[in-house]
Amino acid sequence: MDITILEPFHTGSHQQWAEGLKKYSSHDITILSMKGRHWKWRMHGGAVHLARQFVEEIKFTDLVLASDMLDLSVFRSLTGKEFPDLTTAVYFHENQLTYPWSPTDSDKELQRDNHYAFINYS
């Protein structure tokens, strides 16, 4: 099976998960990733960047396996023309609904405290 992993936050445990799966799997795995920084931007814009890269570089895959840091609905909307029957799955390494807020994060004060959870949900 040919699997493409999409990881817009490729560092730390996210990187270990993707690279470990590739190393120990009997499947052919390609990892499309972005540097692990600016996690909020990765959740907002990572799908746009990785969709463009996916269309340019991937000719065939049996499965797209996205991490929870990717807005899969946006990715699918941007790749649907070229890959209308693409099989996708999401691996939730964690989720933004139950992940504890940092005391230094201003999003909660700005009433954006559920936005990233809705990206995970959609």
Side-chain angles (χ1 to χ4, degrees):
M1 177 179 268
D2 288 315
I3 300 171
T4 302
I5 293 177
L6 303 176
E7 178 53 76
F9 195 72
H10 196 65
T11 192
S13 59
H14 290 261
Q15 182 176 4
Q16 290 173 354
W17 164 75
E19 292 178 4
L21 187 59
K22 180 176 180 167
K23 181 177 180 179
Y24 294 107
S25 177
S26 61
H27 302 292
D28 293 320
I29 296 179
T30 300
I31 299 172
L32 299 182
S33 65
M34 300 170 70
K35 291 181 182 178
R37 58 182 187 209
H38 311 297
W39 74 268
K40 292 178 183 181
W41 162 244
R42 297 301 190 236
M43 286 194 77
H44 284 291
V48 176
H49 175 84
L50 291 173
R52 183 173 35 244
Q53 185 180 2
F54 183 82
V55 169
E56 291 173 359
E57 296 180 16
I58 303 297
K59 302 305 174 212
F60 173 80
T61 193
D62 292 304
L63 172 69
V64 166
L65 180 57
S67 86
D68 58 281
M69 297 299 287
L70 184 93
D71 189 335
L72 187 57
S73 60
V74 170
F75 176 84
R76 288 295 295 131
S77 71
L78 295 171
T79 58
K81 181 178 177 185
E82 292 85 355
F83 296 90
D85 299 320
L86 190 61
T87 301
T88 58
V90 179
Y91 169 70
F92 277 84
H93 185 74
E94 70 241 347
N95 71 74
Q96 298 305 311
L97 182 62
T98 60
Y99 200 83
W101 280 94
S102 167
T104 61
D105 194 327
S106 63
D107 276 352
K108 192 160 186 152
E109 292 173 15
L110 296 171
Q111 298 180 348
R112 294 188 297 224
D113 59 326
N114 291 320
H115 184 78
Y116 300 100
F118 280 114
I119 289 174
N120 280 167
Y121 180 74
S122 66

